[in-house]
């Protein structure tokens, strides 16, 4: 399968997060900020998220590290096989230097929880080229 890039006016985002309160908060904020026609789907397991990828086309994935069943790292590794160009933001509250290094290899951006919504929306904007900022680093440290 080939990633075809975002539809500029209708962004489709998948959030893979088992903490449903956080997932739905992120979903609501992103739907408000991404523009008319944009949508955010929430999945709580990697297995369900992989099934969703077979049904829907997404422009960006936000994935947690710790999940029930398949880990976020295993999920992203599977996604990269079919959608190598699909932008992925990796997030965790349990970050270590080793996890950050692994995340930087398979994802496009690493966020340590807690994070500011403004940082997340800026990263999404840059990854989807909704606004172009040549100074955007692909993997800054989480101490922004």
């Amino acid at each position: 399968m080939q990633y075809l890039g975002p539809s500029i006016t209708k962004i489709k985002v998948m959030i893979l997060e088992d903490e449903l309160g956080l997932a739905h908060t992120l979903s609501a904020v992103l739907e408000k900020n991404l523009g008319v026609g944009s949508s955010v789907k929430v999945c709580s397991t990697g297995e369900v998220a992989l099934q969703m990828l077979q049904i829907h086309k997404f422009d960006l994935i936000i994935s947690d590290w710790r999940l029930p069943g398949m880990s976020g790292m295993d999920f992203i590794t599977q996604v990269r096989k079919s959608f190598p160009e699909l932008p992925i933001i990796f997030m965790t509250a349990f970050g270590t230097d080793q996890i950050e290094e692994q995340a930087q290899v398979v994802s496009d951006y690493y966020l340590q929880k807690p994070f500011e919504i403004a940082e997340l929306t800026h990263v999404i904007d840059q990854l989807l080229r909704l606004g172009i900022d040549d100074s955007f680093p692909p993997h800054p440290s989480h101490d922004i």
Side-chain angles (χ1 to χ4, degrees), residues 46-107:
E47 293 82 2
V48 170
L50 288 174
Q51 291 174 357
M52 290 289 289
L53 281 168
Q54 299 304 312
I55 300 168
H56 301 283
K57 177 190 174 293
F58 291 94
D59 298 307
L60 179 115
I61 295 174
I62 302 169
S63 177
D64 192 13
W65 175 275
R66 284 194 176 178
L67 299 163
M70 175 186 292
S71 73
M73 180 61 74
D74 291 339
F75 167 75
I76 291 173
T77 301
Q78 289 292 322
V79 170
R80 286 292 186 221
K81 291 177 184 176
S82 298
F83 304 97
E85 301 300 318
L86 180 63
I88 299 174
I89 298 172
F90 202 64
M91 62 182 177
T92 185
F94 304 98
T96 65
D97 289 342
Q98 181 182 8
I99 288 172
E100 185 172 353
E101 287 174 22
Q102 291 174 2
Q104 289 178 358
V105 169
V106 298
S107 69

Side-chain angles (χ1 to χ4, degrees), residues 5 8 30 36 54 58 63 84 135 139:
I8 296 305
L30 291 178
V36 176
Q54 299 304 312
F58 291 94
S63 177
S135 67
H139 292 291

Side-chain angles (χ1 to χ4, degrees), residues 92-139:
T92 185
F94 304 98
T96 65
D97 289 342
Q98 181 182 8
I99 288 172
E100 185 172 353
E101 287 174 22
Q102 291 174 2
Q104 289 178 358
V105 169
V106 298
S107 69
D108 297 290
Y109 196 87
Y110 172 80
L111 280 174
Q112 175 123 9
K113 295 180 196 173
F115 53 83
E116 297 291 325
I117 292 296
E119 179 182 8
L120 177 62
T121 57
H122 175 74
V123 170
I124 291 170
D125 182 60
Q126 298 307 309
L127 289 175
L128 296 180
R129 304 291 187 243
L130 301 176
I132 297 180
D133 179 357
D134 292 333
S135 67
F136 177 70
H139 292 291

